[in-house]
Amino acid sequence: MLRLLASGCARGPGPGVGARPVAGLCHPGLGQSRQASDAPRNQPPSPELVARSVGVCSMMRLPVQTSPEGLDAAFIGVPLDTGTSNRPGTRFGPRRIREESVMLRTVNPSTGALPFQSLMVADLGDVNVNLYNLQDSCRRIQEAYEKIVAAGCIPLTLGGDHTITYPILQAMAKKHGPVGLLHVDAHTDTADEALGEKLYHGAPFRRCVDEGLLDCKRVAQIGIRGYSTTLDPYRYNRSQGFRVVLAEDCWMKSLVPLMAEVRQQMGGKPIYISFDIDALDPAYAPGTGTPEIAGLTPGQALEIIRGCQGLNVVGCDLVEVSPPYDLSGNTALLAANLLFEMLCALPKVTTV
């Protein structure tokens, strides 16, 4: 009966694939063969046919695959929080986001996007990070993502603290060269070091600049705010060519005009989207490690992501969800919705 329910929840690449545990990238030897081009695409199960409480806890209850072969896009978890500077708990983020994703459906009426009619999508499980060694975790993340992007699969990542974006961008740059970056966050994450360490969630984009992973003239940071130790905390970013948009410049206005400017800035070259949930005001997203008051609204978050439609998006992440501080689950629910919006904004998604 369990096998029948699992295989009936979504059309996958093989019998019972939906029933596999969310191990994914932990077991590379279990890879599957590439999909036939005429194979039916995976579809999340309709709650009208399968109760939301039924099935394996994958993103949107999609089939779980162990290989990116044959996929156009995939959700991947990176359950790491050893790079945090304040409240921990983001190691539990991917699991909680997957739990809340049962509320999502297959079509986006607001944008006309039909992602599951356009792309083959699955859940690739979690990267097998090393919680006792941040450097080793970054190595494992980079190696996992190199395989994903080499297969032509666009990764949509469930974090995890923001340290994870650095090794992901290492993998992205290996295939695409320096990429543009749309970074939505309360913080710039370009500190040089803390407590003598250069690798933590406050420094990923500084490391990316150091290694030439970013096309700095095509970097936009939106939602930045908070107090500082200097009166000019954004000097480094702007000196690199980044566009820094403060949260206070977004208050009480639509961000549609801003995103028209961002699209012009990004052009047609590859762009990566990195969305820290603390970009949103903690009234909406309290479950995070370094909350800052007076942030963006969920509506503005939708405008930002929907404003990426038509761009050459080669990867996305949603980071810094900390379930221990998210008692209602609303932060994870918001994160799941934003990841679905990112899926809808991918280049090959049909819109009507």
Side-chain angles (χ1 to χ4, degrees):
M1 178 61 72
L2 288 176
R3 179 175 179 179
L4 175 63
L5 286 172
S7 61
C9 286
R11 290 186 173 183
V17 70
R20 294 190 179 188
V22 183
L25 301 170
C26 302
H27 302 287
L30 297 178
Q32 297 168 328
S33 60
R34 178 174 286 277
Q35 296 291 329
S37 59
D38 58 349
R41 294 185 175 93
N42 297 333
Q43 296 286 332
S46 168
E48 297 176 358
L49 301 175
V50 181
R52 288 192 170 100
S53 58
V54 172
V56 172
C57 186
S58 64
M59 187 66 181
M60 298 184 71
R61 296 188 292 174
L62 284 163
V64 177
Q65 254 183 247
T66 55
S67 167
E69 295 297 329
L71 297 178
D72 299 302
F75 295 101
I76 306 101
V78 185
L80 182 72
D81 63 0
T82 46
T84 53
S85 60
N86 190 40
R87 305 192 303 202
T90 57
R91 70 181 63 183
F92 305 114
R95 183 174 300 177
R96 190 72 174 111
I97 294 169
R98 286 181 173 111
E99 290 175 357
E100 294 297 337
S101 72
V102 298
M103 282 298 296
L104 301 176
R105 300 168 185 86
T106 58
V107 173
N108 192 333
S110 297
T111 65
L114 305 171
F116 297 105
Q117 294 183 29
S118 313
L119 307 176
M120 177 64 83
V121 188
D123 190 323
L124 284 178
D126 294 332
V127 177
N128 186 22
V129 296
N130 181 350
L131 294 176
Y132 307 113
N133 187 319
L134 191 55
Q135 293 278 0
D136 185 48
S137 285
C138 286
R139 178 189 62 80
R140 293 175 183 221
I141 295 166
Q142 180 183 354
E143 290 177 355
Y145 277 76
E146 285 177 355
K147 295 176 182 177
I148 293 168
V149 298
C153 176
I154 298 176
L156 299 105
T157 302
L158 293 64
D161 73 58
H162 223 152
T163 311
I164 70 174
T165 307
Y166 165 52
I168 293 173
L169 285 174
Q170 287 179 312
M172 289 288 163
K174 186 172 182 179
K175 178 173 181 178
H176 301 287
V179 297
L181 174 68
L182 176 60
H183 173 209
V184 191
D185 202 324
H187 314 97
T188 62
D189 292 352
T190 52
D192 190 22
E193 64 177 52
L195 303 178
E197 298 295 328
K198 288 182 173 290
L199 189 59
Y200 77 111
H201 75 160
F205 302 115
R206 185 68 164 250
R207 302 287 79 81
C208 289
V209 171
D210 291 345
E211 296 184 18
L213 309 180
L214 299 177
D215 181 354
C216 292
K217 299 299 183 184
R218 296 194 305 119
V219 174
Q221 298 182 300
I222 302 175
I224 307 301
R225 63 191 189 277
Y227 305 113
S228 178
T229 57
T230 70
L231 290 176
D232 191 8
Y234 315 120
R235 178 184 300 175
Y236 169 82
N237 304 63
R238 288 171 173 153
S239 72
Q240 299 301 316
F242 294 9
R243 179 174 184 178
V244 180
V245 182
L246 304 183
E248 59 201 71
D249 294 327
C250 301
W251 291 344
M252 296 175 285
K253 66 176 67 171
S254 168
L255 299 188
V256 171
L258 169 64
M259 289 310 298
E261 296 174 4
V262 170
R263 284 195 301 275
Q264 186 174 14
Q265 177 188 2
M266 298 300 170
K269 296 179 181 179
I271 171 182
Y272 186 86
I273 302 172
S274 186
F275 200 117
D276 187 324
I277 201 68
D278 71 21
L280 299 176
D281 191 90
Y284 306 108
T288 191
T290 49
E292 303 281 0
I293 65 166
L296 304 180
T297 68
Q300 290 174 319
L302 293 181
E303 288 179 327
I304 291 170
I305 298 174
R306 292 173 181 178
C308 294
Q309 204 162 34
L311 293 176
N312 184 12
V313 179
V314 296
C316 316
D317 65 50
L318 191 294
V319 298
E320 297 288 356
V321 172
S322 180
Y325 298 94
D326 188 29
L327 300 183
S328 68
N330 283 352
T331 309
L333 176 64
L334 182 53
N337 277 267
L338 295 180
L339 281 159
F340 176 67
E341 290 283 346
M342 292 177 192
L343 176 67
C344 292
L346 295 185
K348 293 182 181 180
V349 172
T350 301
T351 58
V352 294

